[in-house]
Amino acid sequence: MGNSRTPQQIPVIVLAGFLGSGKTTLLNHLLHRSGGSRIGAIVNDFGAIEIDAMAVAGALGDSTVSLGNGCLCCAVDASELDVYLDRLAAPAAGIDVIVIEASGLAEPQELVRMVLASEHPGIVYGGLVEVVDAAEFDGTRARHPEIDRHLALADLVVVNKLDRAPDADRVFRLVRSLTDRAAVVPATYGRVDPEFLFDCRPSEERIGQLSFDDLHDPHEPDDDHHGHLHTGYDSLSFTSDVPMEPRRLIRFLDSRPEGLYRIKGYVDFGPYDTVNRYAVHAVGPFLRFYPEPWPPADARLTQLVLIGSGIEADALGKELEGCRSDDAPHADEHGMWGVLRYVQGSEEEPDAAAYAV
């Protein structure tokens, strides 16, 4: 997907996709199978707690830039992006490729425009990757027909979670029919060959690569974001230094309203498991917990981001506060049974950090 570049220029890839499609999973996969290439990342969360950035920070270290609490696509111009690109593209950083992981509600066209409009001499646009959740694709497309336009703009489409789609072949064919010139590849758990996304060697310009003129609609004001996906969604960021009571939290999760589309973050169950925190991942009706050891230097907090349409954030926040175990200092031996129903147990599936997207 690399555009033609000088040896000094670093390709910048925009990684987009709707809420919960698996962008962070794919990025983590790339980090662990980069073939020696050093990846820098700009992670744009939708919500005040930067969960996605936390999920990749361990692998990236100082090679990640986190942009929380809003969509990067609504920045006024590309100058702010240039500040972050300058940090990652500095020769001392030794970065070979930069990935901008967009918010799940970002407008890919705007992000690509920003990269193309950048005046940074050290970078070159490397393409748009759109990640699709095969299991949720029909419902997502019905609610947001603009997804078709996103697919038409992509250079590479990753049809993810095919193992969870009951009619995977039909969904794959449908996605392929909605793309223009993009390569369409199947995936589970975001496992794609890194060569699909980047090549650190200079390459010929891809025929049909999107240009700034291709992306510019003269009838659309540059500052009009009313048609973007994120304008129809609200987010709630919840943090608690008091552990959560597992039975109460499961009741909350099992009865969550239909408009609450996405939940991600980490849960502290206190005395119920003093060794592990639990990464939680919910997309629509899908819910999983992934236990992972507490990082030694991290404060033991529950940190969650909830994203939905038409949700009552204040009411949900109060419900979550009611899930805290203020009055339960000791663990009930059966208290975690509800949580364990949603813990991934197969050895063939990825670890928690790689799947907390």
Side-chain angles (χ1 to χ4, degrees):
M1 290 182 59
N3 203 348
S4 62
R5 63 187 180 100
T6 69
Q8 291 75 35
Q9 289 182 304
I10 299 170
V12 178
I13 295 167
V14 176
L15 179 61
F18 193 65
L19 296 165
S21 57
K23 298 181 297 298
T24 303
T25 303
L26 192 152
L27 178 55
N28 274 322
H29 170 77
L30 295 176
L31 293 173
H32 290 95
R33 292 165 179 80
S34 64
S37 297
R38 183 167 167 80
I39 302 173
I42 298 175
V43 180
N44 181 208
D45 265 11
F46 189 81
I49 303 173
E50 297 161 352
I51 299 297
D52 288 345
M54 292 165 59
V56 300
L60 285 168
D62 61 357
S63 299
T64 184
V65 174
S66 178
L67 306 175
N69 204 21
C71 282
L72 182 61
C73 68
C74 287
V76 176
D77 54 38
S79 60
E80 182 179 4
L81 178 61
D82 276 345
V83 173
Y84 303 110
L85 291 174
D86 185 68
R87 167 179 162 183
L88 294 177
I95 299 296
D96 298 305
V97 61
I98 297 171
V99 178
I100 299 177
E101 184 193 339
S103 151
L105 298 173
E107 183 68 23
Q109 178 172 312
E110 300 297 333
L111 294 173
V112 174
R113 283 184 188 176
M114 292 177 68
V115 176
L116 290 170
S118 171
E119 298 181 358
H120 196 292
I123 64 98
V124 63
Y125 173 57
L128 169 64
V129 179
E130 184 79 12
V131 185
V132 169
D133 182 342
E136 296 289 332
F137 182 68
D138 289 332
T140 299
R141 189 177 177 226
R143 291 189 302 272
H144 300 292
E146 54 268 66
I147 294 296
D148 288 9
R149 175 168 49 83
H150 297 177
L151 291 171
L153 287 171
D155 296 289
L156 172 69
V157 176
V158 178
V159 186
N160 197 30
K161 305 187 185 180
L162 279 168
D163 57 316
R164 284 184 41 217
D167 49 354
D169 290 341
R170 180 193 62 81
V171 173
F172 189 83
R173 290 194 302 270
L174 175 58
V175 172
R176 177 174 282 169
S177 73
L178 296 171
T179 62
D180 187 2
R181 298 175 297 269
V184 182
V185 297
T188 56
Y189 308 118
R191 295 168 181 162
V192 297
D193 188 335
E195 290 287 335
F196 280 127
L197 278 79
F198 59 85
D199 182 353
C200 293
R201 298 181 300 276
S203 61
E204 296 297 322
E205 182 173 356
R206 189 178 78 85
I207 298 173
Q209 180 73 286
L210 293 172
S211 69
F212 188 85
D213 289 338
D214 293 332
L215 292 162
H216 181 64
D217 181 352
H219 303 292
E220 177 185 339
D222 288 338
D223 60 350
D224 180 10
H225 302 287
H226 296 294
H228 293 189
L229 287 174
H230 55 76
T231 59
Y233 280 77
D234 301 303
S235 72
L236 166 67
S237 299
F238 175 82
T239 301
S240 174
D241 57 1
V242 176
M244 307 299 280
E245 204 286 322
R247 284 196 180 96
R248 297 173 189 170
L249 183 63
I250 287 298
R251 282 197 295 269
F252 169 82
L253 293 171
D254 283 345
S255 62
R256 61 192 184 276
E258 183 178 348
L260 182 54
Y261 187 81
R262 182 81 174 95
I263 304 172
K264 58 184 178 179
Y266 300 95
V267 179
D268 174 20
F269 287 118
Y272 289 90
D273 190 336
T274 59
V275 175
N276 297 304
R277 65 180 182 181
Y278 284 71
V280 58
H281 168 70
V283 180
F286 181 79
L287 173 65
R288 286 291 184 272
F289 283 99
Y290 303 92
E292 59 181 51
W294 279 102
D298 282 17
R300 299 206 168 192
L301 301 172
T302 293
Q303 295 182 299
L304 298 172
V305 171
L306 289 72
I307 303 172
S309 177
I311 61 174
E312 297 182 12
D314 291 342
L316 289 174
K318 290 179 181 178
E319 288 187 53
L320 281 170
E321 288 176 5
C323 296
R324 298 189 301 184
S325 58
D326 306 75
D327 55 351
H330 303 293
D332 172 357
E333 62 178 327
H334 303 306
M336 288 290 285
W337 281 10
V339 173
L340 296 177
R341 284 191 293 124
Y342 296 105
V343 169
Q344 204 80 335
S346 171
E347 294 180 355
E348 295 181 358
E349 291 173 357
D351 60 19
Y355 202 62
V357 297

